Amino acid sequence: MSELFKNAYDAYADHVRADYLPERRILLLRDDGVGMSEQDFLTRWLTIATDSKARQSSNGRPPIPIQASPRPTMGEKGIGRLAVASIGPQLILVTRPRIDTDRPIRVVSNDGPPSIAALIQWSMFEIPGLTLDDIEVPLVRIAPGEMLTQEAVATLRQRSLDSLAKLDDIPKVLRQRVIGELSHLTFDPAPLLRLPGPSLLGDGHGTQFIILPVNEDLPAAMASGKRDGRESVASPFTRLLIGFSNTMLPGHPKPPLKTEFFQHEPTEGSRDLIDEDEFWSPEDFENVDHDIQGSFDEFGQFSGAVSIYGRSPVKHVVPWLAANGARTKCGPFRLRIGYVQGTPKESRLDAETFALVTRKLTQIGGLYVYRDGIRVLPYGSSDVDYLNIEERRSRNAGRYYFSYRRMFGAIEISAAANPDLHEKAGREGFRENAAYRDFKALLENFLVQLAADFFSKGGAYGGDFEDARSELRQTEIARERRQKKSRALRETFAADLGRALDAFESNEVRREIAAVLEEWRTSLARFANNPGYLSSEGVLEAERRARQELENIRRRYNVSKPKGIGLSLRLTREFSSYQRAWQRTYEADFLPAAATISEDLERLSKLMDSFVIHSRLRESLDTAQEQGRKQLEADVRAARAAAAAAMDRVNDTIRDCLLQLEADSRRISVEFARLDVSGFDDFEAAQERERLTDQVRSTVEIQRRRLSDLLSALSSLAAPGSILVEEEVEALEEEVIALKEQGESDLELLQLGTAVQIISHEFEASIRAVRRSLRQMRPWAKANPRLGAIFEGLVAAFQHLDGYLTLFTPLQRRLYRQRVEISGEDVGRFVYDVFRDRLEDGRVRLDVTDGFRSFAFRGFPSTYYPVFVNLVDNALHWVNERHSEGGWVRLDSDGTAMFVLDNGPGIPERDREAVFESGFTRKPGGRGLGLRIARSLLAREGWELELPEPQPEVGTCFRISPSSVQGSGIDDRGDRE
């Protein structure tokens, strides 16, 4: 396939596309190159193993389109012709020449040159005893502007069978094999050739290959596998063909050739296995830990820039000492490498980006080689370590550092600058000549020296790498520790919160309070019915017991938000619902219960002396003070313990800084003492002095940064009125959690919007065609009564469908460009048509009030209709859940707003804020997007979607009303009403 793509490049094609149909075992490959005339096909293409790409002969090379830049030759020695045979035993070749080239052909017809189609039956070349002259290659001509037909294929097939019948002494097995293969040529090629891609119709030109039946090796190579039984890896087919043109490097020119390979599966649809968007892009170099770029000159000396952990690039030179003043045989070239650390703890990338990049590295990582923008195989494939990177790493990972599986990048060469780097005919890399040996040695020396300079402790820049990596490790350890703590607290809080909310929604709290009052009243009744039992001790004991039970209930359902821990949107929402429920219960139940006990006690106090009352008050006060003192003392002990632990950590950090500084200073002193300066000149002495001085400065600066961070934290804590670090972290953590949740839902919306936009675009052309056909059919329908009834049915059905298609106009405002007058009558009719099938069983009825019918406003139907469809759809679902019959959904209006009401189960208090959030749903199979989209659509037009307080005998009510700031009346294209 790579060879065929390169043939298309050599033929000055801009686009080459392959389509593989596994069920039919057909491969179609088409390009829009210069194509071939009949003479070219007979004298060049059918001449096996001649170098038709030779530059020496103007007749040997393909024609060059007028005003096209010459392309360096990529293919060689007719390998492409024989490559076809390895894909399948039969080839139908269709080609048409381009006329505007430097070798124009004579055209008799004004419609341009004809196409030719030929059948090459490769199995016949395997028959022993036959010569090339014995084998006929049937050929047919196709008129300009037409494509290959089933009749033409049948003609080619029959002529091959006739040719086979004329041959004697062919083994029966081989004869039957050829006949069996020719039996596949009974298909109609027209649907195949109408697939998107290069075409020979009209002014089209180029070459088309129809290969069948495809060899079983192709689907086997296309199958993806797993590495170590875990990760899915790209198929060998994809790894070798993806990135055919160099689109990886920033600032790359437009690829000279667009390549595609579509696999058509009946169940999974069509998929481009070498999609350019799936390959590395310039943006990927922003998501790496280390970025290396530069060039090798003709003497093999590298100069470029190296960025470690995203820091400012450092200009760097890697000498090639073996040059000895001579030019390298490989010539100058450039490279760019992106490298990602092996573990998230040592990477500057966030966890999600790290996972995405790592997955891509697993699929298509490697160091690619491009010659004049076209990939040289097999370099870049993850299982081709042509620079022995992994072999060196297995010997000493610390010294050699680089791993081939953690890098991606490209080496750029050209035919002009690197003429002695020759590709092998079988696309197995460069020939291993002197130029290749220089090329390989330069790169290996470069990677070894780069690892020593930047990623080894003793390297010139090794300290920067170690410092940054250590900082990332410590940050990741601290993050994991906090994440683990936060997760545990959050899970405990969520469980307590859920239990409390369930208790409030089921009225369990109210029942428990009522039970306490009932017990209290039972005690009072005993005292009232038996005055002789009335005593201060008994009354106080009953009161203590009742108040303690109330306090136990309060504690049981009192949920406090954990300090310093961020909450998700769901937990924040549910905590808000809990606080409202708690406040209502406290005011409606707790306070009245406590007041009842006090009032009852006041009545009993009239039967007792003041001493009893005073004793009761004193005891209650003492109890409250004692409980408060115990709680505060516990908090004080915890705070002092935390302060002591923090102080110990501060002292440990200070001590560690001092010890580390002392150890580093001694190491530098020892290094200085061992230094032999007897052979140094002034320049070398100055260099060594600067190196040792820089080490001292770097060591001091590292410890100062550690103490500076500690001092900053302590100063923030000690500042009067400052916000504690925990509170700052809590706020940030909540924001991060919210942004993650929002990002996930927005991505889903983006994918949905993109899909709808594509569908809308595709439907638009189809709808125009249907409209045009209906207009053409109308006169026939008028003249034929029997056809007229059918025509009217088609028109009615199409108009109904066309109404639905206007829902796409928020993304593609082409079907309906003007705001129109919309009435409640229109909305009600539309909604009823949508849900007609669900309403016909009579379980739920849709009521549209007169007030709603008469309500009118201006806008895009595509904005408002989906809102009502969504609201009614939800209402029908929940009403059906609650009622087997007698359910209703109502569209109503009070003259200023519109309402959608139902008699379903309603929305629980805890969900009232949540229903407008992305991803929240309690509907089985729901996506939780409808209400958020509805609110957003209305907000763009100056309307609000609200959930008012519940009404009697109404389950759910949504209110749609103009907001205080009305829309401008201008749509998103600026068209005024």
Side-chain angles (χ1 to χ4, degrees):
M1 291 303 307
S2 174
E3 193 66 37
L4 294 176
F5 284 177
K6 289 188 176 184
N7 283 354
Y9 171 87
D10 289 340
Y12 288 87
D14 298 318
H15 183 195
V16 58
R17 168 171 168 146
D19 291 272
Y20 174 52
L21 289 76
E23 280 198 331
R24 300 171 64 182
R25 296 182 65 188
I26 293 178
L27 176 70
L28 168 68
L29 187 140
R30 296 164 292 163
D31 68 54
D32 58 358
V34 294
M36 290 180 284
S37 65
E38 185 173 340
Q39 182 67 21
D40 286 336
F41 173 71
L42 295 174
T43 60
R44 290 172 48 219
W45 203 91
L46 281 184
T47 307
I48 301 298
T50 58
D51 189 358
S52 64
K53 313 291 174 63
R55 287 176 169 272
Q56 299 92 318
S57 169
S58 61
N59 292 326
R61 62 164 174 78
I64 301 176
I66 302 299
Q67 297 181 341
S69 300
R71 292 181 178 180
T73 305
M74 292 294 168
E76 59 178 282
K77 290 192 176 180
I79 298 299
R81 278 155 278 178
L82 299 179
V84 178
S86 68
I87 300 174
Q90 295 177 130
L91 165 67
I92 298 177
L93 182 148
V94 187
T95 185
R96 188 187 189 200
R98 182 169 179 170
I99 59 176
D100 56 335
T101 68
D102 62 348
R103 293 214 312 270
I105 62 173
R106 188 168 63 89
V107 179
V108 178
S109 170
N110 292 332
D111 295 328
S115 302
I116 61 167
L119 171 61
I120 297 94
Q121 224 296 335
W122 300 109
S123 295
M124 295 183 68
F125 291 89
E126 301 177 18
I127 299 176
L130 294 184
T131 66
L132 295 180
D133 293 335
D134 295 327
I135 300 172
E136 178 185 352
V137 176
L139 183 147
V140 297
R141 297 175 183 85
I142 302 172
E146 297 183 6
M147 65 171 60
L148 182 69
T149 63
Q150 188 171 8
E151 291 75 15
V153 172
T155 299
L156 294 172
R157 173 176 171 270
Q158 188 58 49
R159 288 174 59 180
S160 288
L161 288 171
D162 294 342
S163 173
L164 181 66
K166 296 175 184 177
L167 300 174
D168 299 325
D169 300 328
I170 297 177
K172 183 177 181 181
V173 174
L174 291 178
R175 184 184 295 274
Q176 291 302 320
R177 172 184 163 189
V178 173
I179 293 173
E181 289 169 350
L182 288 170
S183 68
H184 287 83
L185 302 182
T186 57
F187 66 97
D188 182 3
L192 198 63
L193 297 175
R194 290 195 187 100
L195 288 170
S199 171
L200 300 183
L201 296 177
D203 296 330
H205 47 79
T207 303
Q208 301 176 343
F209 298 91
I210 302 176
I211 305 170
L212 75 165
V214 170
N215 192 303
E216 293 180 356
D217 291 343
L218 180 61
M222 293 165 63
S224 60
K226 291 186 178 294
R227 172 173 294 168
D228 299 330
R230 299 188 306 273
E231 290 182 291
S232 175
V233 298
S235 67
F237 182 89
T238 297
R239 291 203 303 271
L240 284 172
L241 283 188
I242 198 168
F244 182 83
S245 298
N246 183 11
T247 59
M248 177 193 305
L249 300 182
H252 66 79
K254 180 183 176 182
L257 179 66
K258 178 182 179 181
T259 57
E260 298 174 310
F261 190 104
F262 279 88
Q263 181 178 9
H264 302 271
E265 291 284 0
T267 56
E268 300 178 7
S270 302
R271 183 168 66 97
D272 186 359
L273 300 184
I274 56 173
D275 189 349
E276 180 182 301
D277 293 337
E278 299 296 324
F279 190 57
W280 299 107
S281 68
E283 290 74 22
D284 286 316
F285 283 96
E286 299 174 5
N287 295 322
V288 297
D289 289 313
H290 317 305
D291 190 1
I292 304 152
Q293 56 183 312
S295 60
F296 293 82
D297 63 18
E298 63 270 26
F299 298 98
Q301 314 303 317
F302 173 85
S303 60
V306 180
S307 174
I308 302 298
Y309 280 122
R311 297 180 177 180
S312 298
V314 175
K315 292 184 178 179
H316 194 60
V317 174
V318 177
W320 173 241
L321 301 179
N324 294 322
R327 287 181 169 84
T328 61
K329 294 180 175 59
C330 62
F333 56 92
R334 297 185 300 167
L335 64 71
R336 178 82 179 266
I337 299 174
Y339 195 88
V340 180
Q341 291 289 128
T343 62
K345 292 181 180 179
E346 296 183 356
S347 175
R348 73 185 183 98
L349 307 180
D350 62 79
E352 183 177 359
T353 304
F354 181 87
L356 291 173
V357 175
T358 297
R359 190 177 301 119
K360 202 166 184 178
L361 285 168
T362 302
Q363 298 278 342
I364 55 173
L367 195 54
Y368 294 72
V369 179
Y370 287 93
R371 181 161 73 108
D372 294 300
I374 301 299
R375 182 178 170 187
V376 179
L377 291 179
Y379 308 120
S381 184
S382 57
D383 52 359
V384 180
D385 184 10
Y386 58 100
L387 298 177
N388 300 315
I389 295 173
E390 293 299 332
E391 188 272 332
R392 286 193 299 274
R393 182 178 174 84
S394 66
R395 287 190 275 120
N396 191 327
R399 177 180 178 184
Y400 294 111
Y401 177 71
F402 288 107
S403 171
Y404 194 67
R405 296 183 178 93
R406 303 305 303 173
M407 65 168 61
F408 68 92
I411 300 168
E412 295 181 289
I413 64 173
S414 68
N418 314 94
D420 293 327
L421 286 174
H422 298 292
E423 292 184 61
K424 296 178 182 178
R427 299 308 172 197
E428 298 166 349
F430 292 119
R431 296 194 180 109
E432 294 182 5
N433 55 18
Y436 175 70
R437 289 193 293 271
D438 275 1
F439 177 74
K440 187 170 179 290
L442 276 174
L443 288 167
E444 290 183 345
N445 172 74
F446 167 72
L447 292 173
V448 170
Q449 190 60 49
L450 198 69
D453 291 342
F454 284 90
F455 304 104
S456 297
K457 290 184 179 180
Y461 303 97
D464 294 341
F465 169 69
E466 281 299 324
D467 294 345
R469 183 167 65 170
S470 297
E471 186 176 336
L472 286 169
R473 283 173 174 170
Q474 293 301 320
T475 301
E476 180 64 17
I477 290 172
R479 188 194 66 80
E480 288 182 351
R481 188 186 299 119
R482 173 174 176 79
Q483 191 176 48
K484 184 177 180 180
K485 173 187 173 185
S486 298
R487 187 186 303 115
L489 290 173
R490 201 177 292 120
E491 289 174 355
T492 301
F493 174 72
D496 293 342
L497 188 60
R499 178 177 51 79
L501 278 171
D502 291 341
F504 283 123
E505 289 179 1
S506 64
N507 287 325
E508 182 179 345
V509 180
R510 180 168 294 175
R511 287 194 296 271
E512 290 185 14
I513 294 173
V516 172
L517 285 179
E518 183 64 28
E519 178 63 26
W520 166 251
R521 291 193 179 104
T522 300
S523 299
L524 291 187
R526 189 167 59 250
F527 291 132
N529 295 332
N530 301 279
Y533 288 100
L534 186 60
S535 66
S536 59
E537 291 81 4
V539 172
L540 290 177
E541 178 59 29
E543 184 210 13
R544 270 195 304 270
R545 190 165 55 250
R547 293 193 184 279
Q548 186 60 49
E549 286 298 325
L550 287 178
E551 179 62 17
N552 291 341
I553 295 172
R554 187 190 69 80
R555 289 180 180 176
R556 190 156 52 247
Y557 300 110
N558 183 26
V559 180
S560 299
K561 179 182 176 184
K563 200 69 174 174
I565 302 299
L567 301 181
S568 65
L569 284 174
R570 180 183 66 82
L571 287 179
T572 301
R573 180 186 67 242
E574 291 190 350
F575 186 60
S576 178
S577 298
Y578 160 79
Q579 288 177 312
R580 291 194 302 272
W582 171 260
Q583 187 64 30
R584 283 198 303 269
T585 303
Y586 183 77
E587 294 175 356
D589 297 289
F590 272 98
L591 289 181
T596 297
I597 294 172
S598 298
E599 291 170 1
D600 292 342
L601 192 63
E602 187 66 28
R603 286 196 299 272
L604 285 176
S605 67
K606 295 177 180 179
L607 304 177
M608 298 182 292
D609 54 25
S610 60
F611 173 77
V612 174
I613 298 174
H614 186 273
S615 299
R616 179 182 61 81
L617 294 176
R618 167 52 60 189
E619 188 170 353
S620 297
L621 182 60
D622 290 345
T623 300
Q625 289 177 339
E626 182 64 22
Q627 289 177 344
R629 190 178 297 110
K630 287 181 179 179
Q631 292 173 350
L632 185 59
E633 286 176 353
D635 291 341
V636 168
R637 285 194 299 272
R640 284 175 175 167
M647 191 61 196
D648 289 342
R649 185 177 175 187
V650 169
N651 291 331
D652 289 343
T653 302
I654 294 173
R655 189 182 307 108
D656 184 59
C657 287
L658 294 173
L659 291 174
Q660 189 64 46
L661 180 61
E662 179 65 21
D664 290 341
S665 298
R666 289 184 180 182
R667 177 180 54 80
I668 296 171
S669 297
V670 170
E671 185 178 350
F672 175 73
R674 292 175 177 173
L675 187 64
D676 182 8
V677 298
S678 58
F680 282 12
D681 56 22
D682 290 343
F683 177 74
E684 290 172 327
Q687 275 192 320
E688 197 62 31
R689 183 187 65 232
E690 284 300 315
R691 185 180 69 82
L692 293 174
T693 304
D694 284 344
Q695 287 190 31
V696 173
R697 290 172 182 160
S698 176
T699 300
V700 173
E701 185 60 30
I702 290 172
Q703 305 310 324
R704 288 194 64 198
R705 280 203 301 266
R706 292 180 65 188
L707 291 177
S708 177
D709 294 341
L710 184 62
L711 179 61
S712 176
L714 293 173
S715 299
S716 175
L717 183 63
S722 64
I723 300 176
L724 295 178
V725 175
E726 285 283 326
E727 295 176 353
E728 294 177 340
V729 173
E730 175 187 336
L732 289 173
E733 191 171 33
E734 287 191 356
E735 184 176 357
V736 168
I737 292 172
L739 287 174
K740 282 185 177 179
E741 292 176 346
Q742 187 65 43
E744 291 172 0
S745 61
D746 285 350
L747 176 61
E748 195 169 354
L749 284 176
L750 176 62
Q751 293 170 335
L752 183 62
T754 302
V756 170
Q757 189 171 5
I758 293 170
I759 293 170
S760 176
H761 180 271
E762 295 300 321
F763 274 0
E764 187 180 355
S766 301
I767 288 300
R768 282 200 300 268
V770 174
R771 288 194 183 107
R772 184 169 59 252
S773 299
L774 287 174
R775 284 196 298 269
Q776 295 171 351
M777 187 178 176
R778 187 178 297 276
W780 295 84
K782 288 183 178 180
N784 189 330
R786 295 177 63 186
L787 179 61
I790 299 174
F791 174 76
E792 292 302 324
L794 282 173
V795 170
F798 173 74
Q799 289 175 345
H800 187 67
L801 174 64
D802 201 15
Y804 282 116
L805 294 178
T806 61
L807 299 180
F808 290 142
T809 56
L811 295 173
Q812 297 276 27
R813 297 188 184 274
R814 297 177 180 177
L815 298 176
Y816 209 161
R817 291 185 175 271
Q818 300 260 339
R819 284 187 172 86
V820 298
E821 188 80 16
I822 301 174
S823 69
E825 180 79 26
D826 298 331
V827 174
R829 186 184 307 111
F830 182 87
V831 171
Y832 184 82
D833 287 342
V834 170
F835 297 106
R836 182 188 302 273
D837 293 341
R838 291 169 64 180
L839 294 168
E840 283 181 348
D841 62 5
R843 291 178 57 190
V844 182
R845 69 177 190 275
L846 176 65
D847 298 332
V848 183
T849 67
D850 292 339
F852 186 86
R853 295 178 193 278
S854 60
F855 191 86
F857 54 96
R858 290 184 65 80
F860 295 110
S862 56
T863 296
Y864 297 92
Y865 284 13
V867 172
F868 285 97
V869 167
N870 182 267
L871 295 177
V872 173
D873 178 57
N874 287 341
L876 289 173
H877 171 81
W878 293 112
V879 170
N880 272 309
E881 286 287 309
R882 183 176 185 181
H883 298 279
S884 58
E885 59 181 22
W888 53 262
V889 178
R890 183 177 302 141
L891 304 181
D892 197 4
S893 173
D894 61 1
T896 60
M898 294 175 284
F899 301 91
V900 179
L901 311 95
D902 64 61
N903 67 339
I907 298 175
E909 177 64 30
R910 65 196 293 182
D911 295 343
R912 291 179 66 80
E913 293 182 17
V915 293
F916 295 109
E917 293 178 5
S918 291
F920 177 84
T921 181
R922 297 197 185 278
K923 186 177 179 182
R927 302 175 65 87
L929 297 174
L931 289 177
R932 185 199 170 197
I933 294 173
R935 176 177 268 190
S936 299
L937 285 172
L938 291 173
R940 288 177 55 189
E941 297 298 316
W943 287 68
E944 293 179 345
L945 176 62
E946 302 169 296
L947 189 62
E949 289 299 317
Q951 304 176 20
E953 299 183 4
V954 172
T956 303
C957 173
F958 285 97
R959 184 175 189 267
I960 304 168
S961 61
S963 59
S964 55
V965 180
Q966 280 289 333
S968 64
I970 302 175
D971 67 19
D972 55 7
R973 299 168 296 101
D975 298 337
R976 294 189 177 274
E977 295 180 350

